[in-house]
Amino acid sequence: MERLQKVIANSGYTSRRKAEELILKGKVYVNQELVTELGTKVDSKDIIVVNGVTLNRNVKKEYYLLNKPRGYICSVSDEKGRKVVTDLIDTKERIYPVGRLDYDTTGLLILTNDGEFANILMHPSNGIEKTYIAIIEGILTTEEIYKVKEGIVIDGIKVVPKRFKVRSKDTLKNKSNVLITIVEGRNHIVKKIFESINHPVNKLKRERYAFLDVKGLQSGDYRLLTTEEVSRLKALKKKR
Ligand code: URA
């Protein structure tokens, strides 16, 4: 017997967190009965219907690493008809992005249909490091560099980077190229950090995600993660 939200996530329908939301919202039926309790246990014979869709419990798990181009939404569909990252990947499986990069952010994005795996990567306590290269407006003062390194409070929570450095400064264009490594996964977090010290981000690229990078992948290109990479990422789950 397994917990309902875990089974929904494992089927590739969505992440564990979203599965919990769907259960609480009354969108999940088990053997034609509405279930709204998160602790509910199910077995392999139970028929689970989420949002009117019967779960396929034997889906093939897929794991992709995409070098996201600018101008794509990190979603599986968009009501305004904008391009979404899953358009770039040729698969019949219902894959979705792990976390979010903004519409105008480029770089490393993982997509999968493995809800448990997505959950491990997104859980803040697993401490997965993401490295971004940003072009920001202006030249940082020593005090501002110190401030970023010490940690800036964004929406009530302090973000202390694992690493922060100014890679280069262009005094003529009045721009700086900076590298920042954070564990945080909140939306727009890098932009918010630099906006808060009046150095807005002009360009943002995610260079690394845990031990992965986008070397060898042109913008818009993708590859499958190797079995070893998937195991290494799963092993980042901390015991709680
Ligand atoms: N931080 C941002 O501000 N934007 C992203 O796309 C990712 C991290």
Side-chain angles (χ1 to χ4, degrees):
M1 298 283 271
E2 278 190 303
R3 288 159 82 84
L4 182 55
Q5 58 267 37
K6 187 170 177 194
V7 172
I8 297 172
N10 278 344
S11 78
Y13 187 88
T14 187
S15 67
R16 172 112 59 116
R17 210 167 338 142
K18 292 256 168 64
E20 288 176 354
E21 275 171 34
L22 289 166
I23 295 168
L24 293 172
K25 279 190 190 149
K27 304 284 184 193
V28 179
Y29 286 78
V30 177
N31 303 328
Q32 301 183 353
E33 281 198 29
L34 178 66
V35 173
T36 51
E37 293 241 349
L38 289 182
T40 307
K41 298 251 172 108
V42 290
D43 71 21
S44 56
K45 287 187 242 46
D46 289 321
I47 295 174
I48 302 165
V49 176
V50 183
N51 267 334
V53 177
T54 307
L55 291 193
N56 175 359
R57 314 252 319 248
N58 298 311
V59 283
K60 190 171 135 271
K61 305 268 170 57
E62 293 189 346
Y63 308 89
Y64 295 94
L65 188 163
L66 168 73
N67 186 356
K68 178 193 175 292
R70 203 178 308 273
Y72 280 80
I73 306 265
C74 274
S75 180
V76 292
S77 64
D78 182 55
E79 69 277 10
K80 291 189 197 141
R82 288 169 298 181
K83 293 181 284 187
V84 293
V85 284
T86 46
D87 293 344
L88 293 162
I89 300 203
D90 185 17
T91 177
K92 291 191 183 64
E93 297 300 336
R94 285 169 59 110
I95 58 163
Y96 49 85
V98 176
R100 246 156 231 251
L101 290 179
D102 295 332
Y103 185 71
D104 57 352
T105 300
T106 60
L108 200 159
L109 183 70
I110 292 175
L111 299 102
T112 185
N113 58 351
D114 181 345
E116 273 300 296
F117 174 78
N119 208 43
I120 293 172
L121 297 187
M122 283 193 287
H123 204 292
S125 67
N126 291 328
I128 297 188
E129 294 186 2
K130 298 121 198 155
T131 297
Y132 297 87
I133 304 282
I135 308 290
I136 60 169
E137 278 177 29
I139 311 292
L140 293 170
T141 63
T142 313
E143 288 75 27
E144 286 168 334
I145 294 173
Y146 180 76
K147 217 170 157 185
V148 175
K149 284 188 172 172
E150 281 292 292
I152 288 183
V153 177
I154 304 290
D155 304 326
I157 303 171
K158 195 172 192 180
V159 189
V160 183
K162 294 273 169 188
R163 191 164 172 225
F164 175 65
K165 71 170 189 180
V166 178
R167 297 170 80 217
S168 60
K169 306 178 237 194
D170 186 334
T171 38
L172 279 179
K173 291 193 181 141
N174 196 30
K175 289 186 195 308
S176 306
N177 180 317
V178 299
L179 176 149
I180 186 163
T181 302
I182 49 173
V183 163
E184 267 274 356
R186 281 184 286 161
N187 288 343
H188 318 304
I189 195 71
V190 175
K191 290 179 185 166
K192 284 183 175 175
I193 290 172
F194 293 104
E195 244 155 46
S196 77
I197 51 166
N198 303 313
H199 291 279
V201 170
N202 286 168
K203 261 188 179 181
L204 188 60
K205 177 174 187 187
R206 183 152 70 191
E207 281 260 304
R208 281 181 80 77
Y209 191 100
F211 53 85
L212 297 166
D213 60 42
V214 282
K215 283 197 192 104
L217 285 179
Q218 300 289 316
S219 172
D221 282 356
Y222 65 91
R223 68 171 175 85
L224 285 166
L225 289 178
T226 65
T227 320
E228 198 217 331
E229 286 167 339
V230 172
S231 311
R232 279 181 71 191
L233 288 168
K234 284 185 179 166
L236 296 173
K237 180 175 178 177
K238 297 236 166 69
K239 295 216 167 50
R240 282 187 280 274

